[in-house]
Amino acid sequence: MALIIPVIFIAVFIFAVIKKVNVYESFTDGIQSALKFTISLLPCLAAIFMMCALFEASHLSDGLTKLLSPVFGFLGIPPELTKLVLIKPFSGSGSLAYLNEIITTYGADSYIARCACVCFGSSETVFYISAVYFAGMKVKKLAAPIACVLIATFLSTIIACLVCRVM
């Protein structure tokens, strides 16, 4: 397994030599394109990080947690996971910190902790990923794809809690 990357690198290099491609120039062109793309992402990422900070600092997350806990409980999601479900689409590190808090509070072998781990693993930071992918593609109509991903994330959370309850 350790030889796969070097073998691929050597194979690409040999193929480029056979095709008479200037490898160094192509490599530097690729780096230049990557840097331009990375710089174009910075405003989108800054907006996502600021939204996450405002969501937490404004205590909107606490209010939504209290409001949605009974609804989540009805759908089979333990009310203790409401904040994790709300934070995960915005922030991977914030949701990881909350996952750690859940495990510390309820114990690693508890139903709540198992459910939190599966929910954490079965979802993604939707807004961060959307910022990265859609900024690179210059897509302007984001509402429908983001809504689809958020619905899929929520359904995966419900299914994850159901699976944890059965197991």
Side-chain angles (χ1 to χ4, degrees), residues 13-157:
F13 184 76
I14 291 171
F15 183 75
V17 169
I18 292 170
K19 291 290 187 175
K20 297 181 182 173
V21 173
N22 186 338
V23 176
Y24 181 75
E25 185 178 316
S26 297
F27 182 72
T28 55
D29 287 346
I31 290 173
Q32 187 177 19
S33 299
L35 284 174
K36 286 179 184 175
F37 176 69
T38 302
I39 290 170
S40 74
L41 286 180
L42 291 178
C44 298
L45 294 177
I48 294 297
F49 292 139
M50 287 190 327
M51 285 186 348
C52 291
L54 288 173
F55 186 66
E56 195 64 34
S58 68
H59 300 289
L60 184 59
S61 64
D62 295 333
L64 279 175
T65 298
K66 289 177 185 172
L67 181 70
L68 294 176
S69 287
V71 176
F72 283 12
F74 177 76
L75 294 172
I77 301 170
E80 297 85 356
L81 301 184
T82 304
K83 193 169 185 179
L84 177 68
V85 172
L86 291 175
I87 291 173
K88 180 64 176 181
F90 292 99
S91 170
S93 59
S95 58
L96 182 60
Y98 192 65
L99 175 65
N100 185 39
E101 183 181 316
I102 290 171
I103 292 171
T104 303
T105 304
Y106 297 100
D109 291 332
S110 68
Y111 165 70
I112 303 242
R114 284 181 295 151
C115 200
C117 288
V118 175
C119 291
F120 180 84
S122 66
S123 62
E124 187 54 73
T125 52
V126 174
F127 293 101
Y128 175 79
I129 298 298
S130 299
V132 171
Y133 287 146
F134 292 132
M137 295 172 32
K138 307 284 189 227
V139 174
K140 299 294 181 200
K141 296 179 181 178
L142 301 175
I146 290 176
C148 289
V149 173
L150 288 173
I151 290 168
T153 298
F154 189 66
L155 290 175
S156 73
T157 301

